[in-house]
Amino acid sequence: QFAPFCSSLDFGFWHSLTQKKLEEFKLNDEPRPIHGFYSSGDQAGLPSRLSLEFNAFSIDPSIPQRSCFSPGTLLNKNTMEEFKQSDKKALVEGVGKEIWADITSGAALNDPSLLTKFLL
């Protein structure tokens, strides 16, 4: 049965993003790879959640026990106007096409995490 994720952005994630934006990304707003992890509800009745923590930008992520890796893309705009002008529907459709390509090519059989791609 399909169950949508709830998102959980840890304080450490925001701190890491702030540091990266000020010291590394600066005004470059190109899409950046990030990752999170998801787990089923730890307690009965709680929804599954996708979590992003301080290590979302690390090359070699550490994933907590009983959790699964999820690859994502950060789209960090420099101004509110740039964000508002983004074609959100096209962005979501683009990720959907990537997931579909991973299914049809068989790549998702080798790496099921490709089925959980996300945008932030």
Side-chain angles (χ1 to χ4, degrees), residues 36-50:
F37 60 90
Y38 64 94
S39 58
S40 60
D42 295 330
Q43 297 177 359
L46 288 180
S48 299
R49 69 181 180 278
L50 175 65

Side-chain angles (χ1 to χ4, degrees), residues 26-46:
K26 301 184 180 180
L27 293 177
N28 185 334
D29 63 358
E30 293 177 4
R32 305 283 177 167
I34 58 174
H35 62 269
F37 60 90
Y38 64 94
S39 58
S40 60
D42 295 330
Q43 297 177 359
L46 288 180

Side-chain angles (χ1 to χ4, degrees), residues 12-26 54 57:
F13 169 78
W14 294 113
H15 180 73
S16 294
L17 175 58
T18 301
Q19 264 189 316
K20 290 252 185 218
K21 183 66 177 165
L22 292 173
E23 298 172 8
E24 186 180 329
F25 304 160
K26 301 184 180 180
F54 70 95
F57 297 96

Side-chain angles (χ1 to χ4, degrees), residues 3-118:
F5 288 126
C6 289
S7 57
S8 172
L9 300 170
D10 185 70
F11 172 78
F13 169 78
W14 294 113
H15 180 73
S16 294
L17 175 58
T18 301
Q19 264 189 316
K20 290 252 185 218
K21 183 66 177 165
L22 292 173
E23 298 172 8
E24 186 180 329
F25 304 160
K26 301 184 180 180
L27 293 177
N28 185 334
D29 63 358
E30 293 177 4
R32 305 283 177 167
I34 58 174
H35 62 269
F37 60 90
Y38 64 94
S39 58
S40 60
D42 295 330
Q43 297 177 359
L46 288 180
S48 299
R49 69 181 180 278
L50 175 65
S51 300
L52 296 168
E53 294 187 347
F54 70 95
N55 61 355
F57 297 96
S58 66
I59 295 170
D60 188 22
S62 66
I63 305 299
Q65 287 185 324
R66 298 181 4 197
S67 297
C68 298
F69 177 81
S70 185
T73 302
L74 173 69
L75 302 172
N76 189 22
K77 300 297 181 183
N78 291 311
T79 66
M80 184 61 81
E81 282 305 312
E82 288 178 25
F83 174 75
K84 288 179 181 178
Q85 292 173 359
S86 298
D87 187 349
K88 286 121 186 121
K89 182 179 177 187
L91 292 169
V92 171
E93 286 176 355
V95 173
K97 288 178 181 177
E98 286 178 27
I99 293 171
W100 183 247
D102 291 335
I103 292 170
T104 57
S105 71
L109 291 172
N110 296 326
D111 183 3
S113 73
L114 296 174
L115 300 173
T116 63
K117 290 181 181 180
F118 65 92

